[in-house]
Amino acid sequence: MSDLLERLRGRGWRMTAQRRVVAEVLDGEHVHLTADEVHARAVAKLPEISRATVYNTLGELVSLGEVLEVATDRRAKRYDPNAHRPHQHLVCARCGAIRDVHPTGNPLSDLPDSERFGFAVSDVEVTYRGICPSCAAA
Amino acid sequence: MSDLLERLRGRGWRMTAQRRVVAEVLDGEHVHLTADEVHARAVAKLPEISRATVYNTLGELVSLGEVLEVATDRRAKRYDPNAHRPHQHLVCARCGAIRDVHPTGNPLSDLPDSERFGFAVSDVEVTYRGICPSCAAA
DNA sequence: TAGCCAAGTCAGACATTGTCTAAGTCAGGT
DNA sequence: ACCTGACTTAGACAATGTCTGACTTGGCTA
Ligand SMILES: [Mn+2]
Ligand SMILES: [Mn+2]
Ligand SMILES: [Zn+2]
Ligand SMILES: [Zn+2]
């Protein structure tokens, strides 16, 4: 992700302080932040950055394939910079904590042709749910 | 689902015209309606029924386990009266059409202990995505 | 059957999350 | 340094869902 700015420039995008800051916030940490969390962290670095720009930039990073949108609940979407290695998510049903998980097997092969109804199936999303250790202890 | 009203009564619930109508709307058809779609159909049978009551009743049916909430996209939740046989969903990425599907295998067994991080994993949701025949033709 | 009252319903305010608009600003090429 | 279209901004708007507080009623009791 550190060369993201290069790739953006290569696509003819203007490099702005706002885009740099959003990329910085997502860089490194393997977290799943909401747009407003990204905004809060961006504001710490660039106080005048607007919510709209954060949304715009996140949307751009998603279409670029640099960031994934994760919607595990009805709350705010989460933005996942771990777009490199395919993975699924394990979510705490109580506190909402999210972990990346790497299941074995390919769920796509578990869907027989007779269950595809003529769809061209291209993707599958798996969300595991349970209670995290810290909620179980409490 | 036809004996739902009996079960509700058995739980000490009052039987009202509103609850009867919402149950009727969901009965039978294997569809995935939004709350507002349920409301629209309910209004056809009972013009003065309110949106709040439809939301309340759907929430009650969900806690009863009679109806499932399905959130395949960022749009409105869908209410699924097919709560009897476990199944997953196949969603058209273009038009949003939803089909019930019954994959083989158990995705829970695809998540090794080493990938559970101490969670008590109890449930898994699988959403297949693709293009439906009618969108592919267009 | 009449009366009671807690459970249920209602309209509409409010909350959350995200998108859109239109006016101002600026990055980068010339 | 100047231009210009891409970018940013504040705030309005939209979609979905929740909450409130006054009103209504199902079903029990006598
Ligand atoms: Mn992730
Ligand atoms: Mn279904
Ligand atoms: Zn937890
Ligand atoms: Zn389609």
Side-chain angles (χ1 to χ4, degrees), chain A residues 23-46:
Chain A
E24 265 178 49
V25 165
L26 290 171
D27 196 12
E29 324 183 53
H30 266 203
V31 289
H32 304 88
L33 300 173
T34 66
D36 276 340
E37 285 166 352
V38 171
H39 182 232
R41 298 190 184 198
V43 161
K45 296 167 183 264
L46 184 68

Side-chain angles (χ1 to χ4, degrees), chain A residues 88-119:
Chain A
Q88 307 298 341
H89 292 106
L90 168 58
V91 181
C92 177
R94 192 158 309 157
C95 71
I98 302 181
R99 301 282 322 226
D100 286 353
V101 293
H102 303 83
T104 63
N106 178 5
L108 270 181
S109 60
D110 284 349
L111 191 67
D113 274 345
S114 64
E115 286 284 297
R116 296 192 181 206
F117 303 102
F119 280 57

